[in-house]
Amino acid sequence: MSFPLPSRTPSGPRRRTLLAAAAGTFALAGCSTPEPSSDTTGGSPSAADRARARAARDSMTLAGRYTAVIAAHPGLEERLAPLRAEAVRHAKAFGAGSGGASASSSPSAPDPASASASASGSASASASASASASPGVADRPKDALADLASAELALADERTQALVEVPGELARLLASVAAAGAAHAFLLTKAAK
């Protein structure tokens, strides 16, 4: 003998209705106007502009560290060149070199063209490069990689903490670049072992 299943009518809205309503809410939120900068007073840059400029400067400084390690340890160039290129792309994404956040005005930020030229110098120049030629770079390649990993991780942590202070699109960019920095730190840590 089979028992008939009790008819079950939903007492509230169906799951599809709730999902459609949630999707509609997110779509409307995505169509809203950009958040105006409330910190702009008398021509001074907003908090978002300052955060963007700092992020561009930090990325160029990191690219400079990669360049110094490559100059001191030419054998690491194949491994580090793509990570350095990513740091330069991150700086450009934050506006470096586009007039707003000029990272080249910082004394510690190298010019991308001269940095790449020095990183990919002739064979005789790279053969004569030594760790003593680049101050601040560890003598051993593994130590230099570990130092780069620490720098990437510290910058990723700093950018993650800054997320709450900046508006939507910049926060998403900071989160993305922080995640990339954490991935770079992981790769560098593995390479240093």
Side-chain angles (χ1 to χ4, degrees):
M1 170 158 98
S2 72
F3 295 105
L5 293 174
S7 66
R8 193 172 145 217
T9 58
S11 61
R14 297 181 146 239
R15 186 181 329 176
R16 288 182 190 162
T17 307
L18 290 174
L19 289 175
T25 302
F26 287 125
L28 287 175
C31 294
S32 65
T33 59
E35 300 154 3
S37 172
S38 61
D39 286 348
T40 306
T41 55
S44 66
S46 68
D49 292 339
R50 288 189 305 269
R52 185 178 294 275
R54 179 183 171 115
R57 219 175 21 255
D58 290 345
S59 290
M60 287 308 298
T61 300
L62 185 62
R65 289 187 73 166
Y66 276 107
T67 301
V69 171
I70 290 170
H73 304 288
L76 297 175
E77 182 175 6
E78 184 178 338
R79 177 173 287 164
L80 297 181
L83 299 178
R84 184 201 171 281
E86 283 293 313
V88 171
R89 275 195 288 276
H90 294 159
K92 287 180 183 175
F94 286 119
S98 66
S102 176
S104 61
S105 63
S106 170
S108 63
D111 177 30
S114 66
S116 63
S118 68
S120 61
S122 66
S124 62
S126 60
S128 65
S130 67
S132 62
S134 299
V137 176
D139 292 337
R140 292 181 26 201
K142 289 185 183 235
D143 293 338
L145 290 173
D147 290 346
L148 280 174
S150 295
E152 282 274 15
L153 198 54
L155 189 54
D157 288 344
E158 182 180 312
R159 288 176 172 165
T160 302
Q161 291 174 357
L163 290 175
V164 297
E165 300 169 2
V166 295
E169 193 60 36
L170 181 55
R172 286 186 283 277
L173 181 58
L174 275 173
S176 176
V177 173
H184 292 175
F186 174 77
L187 293 172
L188 291 164
T189 301
K190 290 292 238 182
K193 290 183 178 181

